[in-house]
Amino acid sequence: MDELISNLLMYGKSAEHSVLSTLAELEGARKRGIPLTVEERKCAYRAVRELLELATEYGFNENLWQNYLSFLLMTDENPFTLTAEKVGAGEGSVNRFVERDFHIFRALFRYDFGALDAALGTDCFSVLTDYRALPKPAVRCYRAVSEKVRALSRSLAAVESDEAFFHTMSEFYRAYGVGKFGLNAAFRLEDYEKKGVLLKAIRNMDAVKFSDLIGYESQKEELRKNTEAFLRGQRANNVLLYGDSGTGKSTSIKAVVNEYYKDGLRMIEIYKYQFRRLSEVLAEIKNRNYRFIIYMDDLSFEENESEYKFLKAVIEGGVETRPENVLIYATSNRRHLIREIWRDRNDVEQDADIHRSDTMEEKLSLANRFGLSIGYYKPERRAYHEIVTALAERHGITLEREELLRRADCFELRHGGVSGRTAQQFINAELGN
């Protein structure tokens, strides 16, 4: 194994992974006749534990060793995989290096750990090649990742030639991509400035769908049409979802990502204080074969805040154009995003501003750069009752309609008015009783 791993070229980054490098060192020592003592056994156990942690996180099963190798192949971003993601494998000299690496991976897929287990006095690695995970609730956000890894693992284990291995992997990269963007739907920006931009996968994103948001059909349809045009590579607009709290603005955007993830849509959540790093984020994603939504939740600015100017430049007006594979979707309780005061309308008289209304124009200019603005307003009482009734039916609450609505109205009076959020909170309270 040590000789195999040391000869990886294009996928050399995978050889640096701790599990692979640890096993290579142990096998190298065994083949050189060096006795494997307690310390080597501890190293082996650490490698096994890391494999098990990865398996638990992503839901691997059956042959964890082959699942692990497949995971490395899926996440190794190198010149070949990034090109294959965009245009397929094609013809090129680089393919010779890749084919050699795939020959090594084929050998690793069939690697016999019997001698290593015997030298260590364990049976760990033999167990990992025929593993049965404990039954547990699936982590929804990683179910798709788990299915991809296991399906690819089975396909690669079944191929009978290096050429078939190459074809299987290149087709996978073309269909699903490579690295964190190929596996995950949503990300957030971590603030490690010394290391540059770091986009970290969001592991516990709500798996909400459009059908979970009752009502607001015209708003959802507008959002769908704009997103579908974006995914087809047609002209689409940045979107501002504005209106009352608890009406489903954030839920709608999460539903968009969940529904169109399979079509290559990804979301990056970014906060107001991170706007100065927007250009770095765009530089990292502009050449990837995905469509990205930059998501800004509960967006608004007070009078003395200037971060909105970074956002204005990115949306429209900066020297560097926004990449065609990026749109900005934002939610806000304010239609115009920036706090307006009466003094803005009297800038000449009170602030000696030479040009009347320039202050107001500056504040309105940000909202005007969202080509599509969709309003979400609190429902009328009848619509609130429809939401409550639908949610009660969905969750199996069997109260008589009259009693259900009476309780819902009483709950609403104590919890801030009618809205979809209030209806859901009422249902949660009923389920908890």
Side-chain angles (χ1 to χ4, degrees):
M1 179 184 286
D2 55 329
E3 294 179 2
L4 291 172
I5 294 173
S6 65
N7 285 320
L8 288 172
L9 192 155
M10 191 62 66
Y11 287 83
K13 186 168 60 176
S14 294
E16 301 170 3
H17 197 278
S18 58
V19 174
L20 213 54
S21 61
T22 297
L23 295 182
E25 290 175 7
L26 291 173
E27 274 289 59
R30 181 189 68 79
K31 289 182 177 179
R32 292 193 299 273
I34 299 174
L36 301 185
T37 63
V38 174
E39 289 303 316
E40 283 75 24
R41 191 178 298 119
K42 287 181 179 178
C43 290
Y45 286 160
R46 282 196 296 270
V48 171
R49 185 165 58 250
E50 187 171 341
L51 270 176
L52 291 173
E53 288 172 353
L54 194 68
T56 301
E57 182 177 5
Y58 288 99
F60 298 167
N61 205 351
E62 300 163 3
N63 192 320
L64 298 195
W65 172 245
Q66 293 180 352
N67 285 177
Y68 164 68
L69 293 176
S70 299
F71 182 78
L72 293 183
L73 289 166
M74 294 166 69
T75 55
D76 194 320
E77 296 182 358
N78 59 59
F80 171 76
T81 59
L82 292 173
T83 301
E85 172 188 281
K86 292 180 71 70
V87 297
E91 297 291 335
S93 299
V94 71
N95 288 3
R96 293 182 59 187
F97 302 123
V98 175
E99 288 166 356
R100 188 175 66 177
D101 281 6
F102 285 165
H103 176 79
I104 294 171
F105 269 99
R106 277 195 73 215
L108 290 173
F109 257 75
R110 304 187 303 273
Y111 201 84
D112 184 1
F113 286 101
L116 181 60
D117 268 335
L120 290 167
T122 69
D123 63 352
C124 294
F125 299 104
S126 300
V127 171
L128 292 180
T129 58
D130 186 21
Y131 188 77
R132 294 294 178 268
L134 292 173
K136 57 184 181 297
V139 180
R140 290 179 296 180
C141 58
Y142 276 147
R143 184 179 298 147
V145 176
S146 174
E147 290 171 355
K148 284 181 184 177
V149 172
R150 287 187 288 168
L152 179 62
S153 178
R154 287 191 290 268
S155 297
L156 293 176
V159 300
E160 298 180 352
S161 66
D162 294 346
E163 292 77 10
F165 197 103
F166 181 93
H167 176 76
T168 300
M169 283 310 310
S170 58
E171 287 297 308
F172 179 89
Y173 294 136
R174 187 70 181 103
Y176 298 107
V178 61
K180 58 191 174 186
F181 295 132
L183 291 176
N184 301 285
F187 306 84
R188 65 166 52 93
L189 174 60
E190 294 290 313
D191 289 315
Y192 299 121
E193 294 195 28
K194 292 182 180 179
K195 298 180 182 179
V197 173
L198 176 63
L199 296 176
K200 184 175 182 180
I202 297 175
R203 301 182 179 183
N204 58 342
M205 180 177 163
D206 190 358
V208 66
K209 300 178 181 178
F210 274 120
S211 58
D212 296 324
L213 179 60
I214 301 168
Y216 302 98
E217 298 304 324
S218 63
Q219 290 91 333
K220 291 188 290 187
E221 185 60 23
E222 280 192 272
L223 196 57
R224 279 179 182 274
K225 287 182 178 178
N226 191 73
T227 304
E228 289 174 0
F230 177 52
L231 291 170
R232 291 193 299 267
Q234 299 173 342
R235 291 297 182 96
N237 285 306
N238 299 303
V239 181
L240 173 64
L241 278 59
Y242 68 92
D244 300 319
S245 62
T247 52
K249 301 183 296 294
S250 300
T251 299
S252 295
I253 293 181
K254 293 173 188 175
V256 164
V257 177
N258 289 326
E259 182 153 336
Y260 296 107
Y261 163 73
K262 64 183 184 300
D263 301 309
L265 186 65
R266 303 293 183 266
M267 180 180 78
I268 299 172
E269 183 176 22
I270 189 168
Y271 301 106
K272 184 167 56 177
Y273 70 90
Q274 298 172 321
F275 284 177
R276 56 193 169 81
R277 307 197 70 197
L278 270 171
S279 59
E280 298 173 66
V281 174
L282 297 181
E284 183 169 341
I285 64 179
K286 66 181 180 180
N287 292 321
R288 299 304 299 266
N289 194 33
Y290 304 93
R291 297 278 164 171
F292 291 92
I293 287 175
I294 305 294
Y295 172 46
M296 303 167 184
D297 190 32
D298 198 19
L299 186 63
S300 66
F301 300 91
E302 297 302 321
E303 186 180 9
N304 61 340
E305 293 179 314
S306 60
E307 289 92 343
Y308 72 92
K309 294 184 179 181
F310 291 104
L311 181 56
K312 282 174 59 179
V314 169
I315 295 177
E316 184 181 343
V319 175
E320 184 179 10
T321 59
R322 175 172 48 83
E324 64 176 14
N325 66 331
V326 176
L327 281 183
I328 295 174
Y329 282 16
T331 68
S332 180
N333 295 335
R334 289 178 175 168
R335 170 65 180 85
H336 296 301
L337 299 177
I338 303 173
R339 180 172 177 254
E340 300 173 67
I341 56 178
W342 282 107
R343 189 179 65 197
D344 296 340
R345 301 174 183 270
N346 300 310
D347 46 16
V348 173
E349 289 81 358
Q350 295 190 21
D351 291 335
D353 198 334
I354 295 176
H355 301 288
R356 180 181 293 274
S357 81
D358 276 6
T359 302
M360 285 189 63
E361 287 297 324
E362 168 68 11
K363 290 190 171 184
L364 295 175
S365 63
L366 175 59
N368 291 339
R369 296 190 185 196
F370 287 88
L372 179 60
S373 296
I374 305 175
Y376 282 68
Y377 301 104
K378 286 189 176 181
E380 297 178 350
R381 179 72 55 179
R382 181 187 301 174
Y384 171 68
H385 286 169
E386 291 175 357
I387 296 172
V388 168
T389 303
L391 289 175
E393 182 179 349
R394 183 177 297 169
H395 291 281
I397 296 176
T398 57
L399 286 172
E400 292 292 333
R401 176 179 169 81
E402 184 176 342
E403 174 63 14
L404 176 72
L405 298 183
R406 185 191 69 78
R407 293 190 186 187
D409 287 341
C410 291
F411 184 91
E412 171 267 315
L413 289 173
R414 302 192 305 271
H415 293 83
V418 295
S419 70
R421 179 180 294 158
T422 302
Q424 184 62 64
Q425 290 170 344
F426 164 68
I427 294 298
N428 293 343
E430 288 295 314
L431 291 171
N433 290 335

